[in-house]
Amino acid sequence: MRHNKNFNHLGRQAGHRKSMLSNMASSLILHKRIETTLAKAKAVRMFVEPLVTKSKEDTTHSRRVVFSYLKQKEAVTELFRTIAPKIAERPGGYTRILKTGFRQGDAAEMCIIEFVDFNEAYTLGITPAATGEAKPKTRRSRKSAAKKTDAVEEATVVEGETKKAPAKKAAAPKAPKATAAKTAAPKAAKKTNVGKKM
């Protein structure tokens, strides 16, 4: 009997339904929008919005709780690193459902479900101030970033002093600075890859 059970069972057993909602929520988090039927979209919205609220507090406990629902490391990382800072000021209603018509084969009502803050057409390209700040992700990346910048500064200072002392030409010091800038650029690119996965 289904007395007082008001949610949509979607014609599936409990295990099938939970795994389907988990997969759809992970796809929504990774791709920011998915196309599905209206009934499934409403079920996914009820499934994913409490997880997004949980992601506002970035603790080990909240990550483990979200992982127990999503079962995908990449989706959890994307939720806590990309989505949570962007929706930090929003008190709820993180997703929107846009109806797109009816499916050809069975006339099921189709729609697109997407995150509200990730649609540039609706947000007019305005990004919150929280996303503009680039903060280091782990302690290790902070330490390595500080060491790399110190090493680059020391290298440029030493090269500049040695070149300027023997020959006082205006064109000679510019070449080492350009090479130092070129060598510093790949190091900065390597720094961003630190701590990408959980």
Side-chain angles (χ1 to χ4, degrees):
M1 285 181 268
R2 53 153 300 282
H3 293 174
N4 270 347
K5 295 183 179 175
N6 296 324
F7 65 94
N8 192 345
H9 294 277
L10 300 172
R12 289 163 173 81
Q13 299 291 326
H16 187 181
R17 184 171 56 250
K18 285 176 187 174
S19 63
M20 183 192 71
L21 291 175
S22 172
N23 289 334
M24 290 178 72
S26 297
S27 295
L28 178 62
I29 289 167
L30 291 172
H31 302 292
K32 310 301 184 283
R33 84 166 38 176
I34 56 173
E35 184 178 6
T36 182
T37 62
L38 185 62
K40 286 181 189 173
K42 288 178 178 178
V44 169
R45 180 174 57 188
M46 289 173 55
F47 183 86
V48 80
E49 292 215 358
L51 300 180
V52 176
T53 301
K54 181 69 87 172
S55 73
K56 287 182 177 182
E57 184 183 359
D58 191 1
T59 61
T60 305
H61 176 65
S62 59
R63 280 180 179 262
R64 285 176 177 165
V65 169
V66 170
F67 180 75
S68 71
Y69 284 95
L70 293 180
K71 312 271 193 305
Q72 283 190 24
K73 236 190 314 189
E74 296 81 13
V76 174
T77 304
E78 180 74 12
L79 178 62
F80 278 86
R81 286 199 182 159
T82 308
I83 296 173
K86 206 161 188 181
I87 53 93
E89 301 300 320
R90 189 176 289 277
Y94 312 111
T95 57
R96 82 163 56 91
I97 293 176
L98 303 169
K99 296 180 181 178
T100 58
F102 297 92
R103 190 159 54 193
Q104 182 76 33
D106 60 352
E109 195 168 3
M110 301 299 288
C111 68
I112 292 172
I113 181 169
E114 65 183 4
F115 281 106
V116 172
D117 292 315
F118 286 88
N119 188 334
E120 298 300 326
Y122 283 96
T123 58
L124 302 175
I126 299 168
T127 56
T131 58
E133 301 169 2
K135 60 178 183 178
K137 304 298 183 214
T138 61
R139 290 184 196 163
R140 183 175 60 196
S141 66
R142 274 187 235 135
K143 289 179 183 176
S144 63
K147 287 179 183 176
K148 286 180 183 177
T149 55
D150 292 342
V152 170
E153 288 173 0
E154 289 174 6
T156 55
V157 169
V158 170
E159 287 177 6
E161 290 174 359
T162 56
K163 293 293 180 181
K164 287 180 184 176
K168 295 185 178 182
K169 295 180 182 177
K174 291 182 181 179
K177 288 181 181 178
T179 57
K182 288 179 184 177
T183 56
K187 289 182 181 178
K190 288 181 183 176
K191 180 186 78 170
T192 57
N193 292 335
V194 174
K196 283 288 183 185
K197 294 185 179 177
M198 285 181 58

